[in-house]
Amino acid sequence: MFEIGKITTTHGIKGELKVVSLSDFDRFKKNEKMFIVKDNQKIELTVENIKNQVNNLIVKFKEFNNINEVLDFRGLIIYSNTRGKLNKNEFYYESLYDLEVYNVNDNSYIGKVTDIVELPHGKLLEIYNEDKKILIPFVDEFIVEVTDTKIMIKPIEGLL
């Protein structure tokens, strides 16, 4: 199960909820199935309507039509059983962890990916070699190829 949103509060009297999206994907679409867990019970939800607000989504689920039915949902996480669909050259973080990284110029081993660091200007691969940590920008200028088993990079002088 994948966390896709968090209910912050109610909105109006018709059972609408303010939701903060926790996903990089557009997961809240009309008729999309999802669920919450309340008191160890799974409650199935189907999106009936959605509106964008500045930092929130206003979501109406088909199963609830009254504010009183959803008051106790504040603070709950919304889950989905399906992953978001990736476009070409997009990756789930967990698929990058532990991949071996090689220099495309001479096929030399650089290290293993141990983390992905998110910064305002982009993402960095954190790579550990036996004695040092290396940060490589995760952009096309440096990343030549990503397979299921390795990453090939094209380093510039001074990067390693």
Side-chain angles (χ1 to χ4, degrees):
M1 76 183 167
F2 304 97
E3 293 183 4
I4 61 170
K6 181 176 182 179
I7 300 169
T8 57
T9 189
T10 59
H11 180 81
I13 60 170
K14 297 181 180 178
E16 294 176 313
L17 295 163
K18 281 190 179 183
V19 174
V20 173
S21 178
L22 301 177
S23 176
D24 289 338
F25 304 97
D26 185 14
R27 303 299 298 267
F28 293 88
K29 296 179 184 173
K30 193 171 184 170
N31 296 319
E32 214 40 53
K33 302 274 189 208
M34 49 200 67
F35 64 94
I36 56 175
V37 177
K38 178 161 177 14
D39 300 326
N40 292 323
Q41 277 196 292
K42 183 177 178 180
I43 301 170
E44 298 286 339
L45 304 169
T46 307
V47 175
E48 180 178 311
N49 192 19
I50 184 158
K51 300 176 214 163
N52 285 310
Q53 227 181 23
V54 178
N55 294 321
N56 299 300
L57 302 170
I58 306 296
V59 183
K60 169 71 174 73
F61 295 106
K62 290 180 180 179
E63 293 79 5
F64 303 100
N65 295 304
N66 184 307
I67 188 173
N68 296 320
E69 297 174 315
V70 297
L71 278 173
D72 292 337
F73 294 170
R74 286 182 282 198
L76 295 181
I77 300 294
I78 301 172
Y79 300 94
S80 174
N81 284 322
T82 59
R83 289 186 140 188
K85 293 188 180 186
L86 295 173
N87 294 322
K88 185 178 179 186
N89 291 328
E90 290 184 335
F91 306 92
Y92 292 111
Y93 282 7
E94 64 264 19
S95 69
L96 299 174
Y97 295 131
D98 293 326
L99 288 184
E100 294 182 341
V101 180
Y102 293 90
N103 185 331
V104 74
N105 297 325
D106 59 8
N107 211 30
S108 61
Y109 177 76
I110 295 170
K112 278 192 175 186
V113 176
T114 56
D115 200 6
I116 291 94
V117 180
E118 288 194 46
L119 300 172
H121 60 277
K123 295 171 180 58
L124 300 174
L125 292 179
E126 185 177 274
I127 300 166
Y128 268 100
N129 198 328
E130 295 172 6
D131 58 341
K132 66 180 178 177
K133 175 172 72 171
I134 303 163
L135 296 172
I136 306 282
F138 196 60
V139 294
D140 291 340
E141 288 80 14
F142 296 101
I143 307 299
V144 175
E145 179 185 27
V146 178
T147 69
D148 292 340
T149 57
K150 67 182 177 183
I151 298 175
M152 300 298 290
I153 69 162
K154 183 180 178 184
I156 59 172
E157 187 175 332
L159 185 64
L160 303 176

